[in-house]
Amino acid sequence: MRETQRIADQLRRAFDGDAWSGPSLQATLAGTSAAQAAAHPLAGVHSIGELVRHLATWAGTVAWRVEQQQQTPLTNEDWPAFATDPDERQWQQAQQELQSAHQRLLAATEFLTDTSLETKVLQAGGSEVTLYVLLHGSAQHYLYHAGQIALLRKFL
């Protein structure tokens, strides 16, 4: 198995598979209503909807950086707003944007060769990171925010 296939497997596990660390991002989001997604049960903390929009932004941005093999700006703002009183359609749309960005990231990952994983891309602030580190960081990002979502759901 190629290393890029292994990384794609880790992305899938973190997003909607059998993650070693616990429930995947999608399992954590399952059953969340639009009202719950918009709620702010803790002052100064992002809502579930904001976290989903943030994850979609970063999955799309990383996919673009992998496709271009260079630094690219954020595809959207880092923390896009989520409606304060959304209907279920708006919530489903936010989740679909995340799903689409994830599928694009998987496709970009699987298109890479193992050798290209050592390609360095410039990050904001001037540091460089390999595509290998960037892709592993994406899986970690999914699970980091899945943990936050799980905690928010406990407070709802």
Side-chain angles (χ1 to χ4, degrees):
M1 179 182 279
R2 294 182 2 240
E3 185 63 21
T4 53
Q5 292 172 311
R6 288 185 181 100
I7 294 170
D9 179 61
Q10 289 300 303
L11 288 165
R12 280 188 194 91
R13 287 172 182 270
F15 189 82
D16 62 2
D18 185 19
W20 173 86
S21 60
S24 67
L25 175 61
Q26 290 298 299
T28 305
L29 287 168
T32 304
S33 69
Q36 290 171 321
H40 287 271
L42 299 168
V45 174
H46 290 288
S47 70
I48 292 170
E50 291 167 337
L51 289 166
V52 165
R53 304 254 355 255
H54 168 75
L55 284 163
T57 293
W58 275 103
T61 298
V62 171
W64 183 255
R65 287 179 180 174
V66 169
E67 291 162 355
Q68 301 301 312
Q69 295 191 15
Q70 64 183 4
Q71 178 199 6
T72 55
L74 284 172
T75 54
N76 292 309
E77 65 180 281
D78 192 13
W79 289 98
F82 184 70
T84 56
D85 188 22
D87 58 31
E88 289 299 323
R89 183 193 59 74
Q90 291 169 304
W91 173 226
Q92 293 303 318
Q93 181 180 345
Q95 292 180 85
Q96 183 55 48
E97 288 169 4
L98 174 57
Q99 181 70 38
S100 295
H102 171 70
Q103 290 303 319
R104 182 177 170 199
L105 178 56
L106 283 177
T109 302
E110 292 173 336
F111 184 76
L112 289 173
T113 63
D114 285 356
T115 311
S116 64
L117 289 171
E118 293 306 315
T119 301
K120 291 184 178 179
V121 294
L122 189 65
Q123 295 285 91
S127 65
E128 289 185 330
V129 64
T130 62
L131 293 178
Y132 178 88
V133 169
L134 187 65
L135 290 167
H136 278 283
S138 294
Q140 295 163 6
H141 192 229
Y142 285 156
L143 294 172
Y144 171 75
H145 287 305
Q148 290 178 324
I149 291 166
L151 288 171
L152 286 170
R153 289 192 65 176
K154 287 182 184 266
F155 283 102
L156 293 173

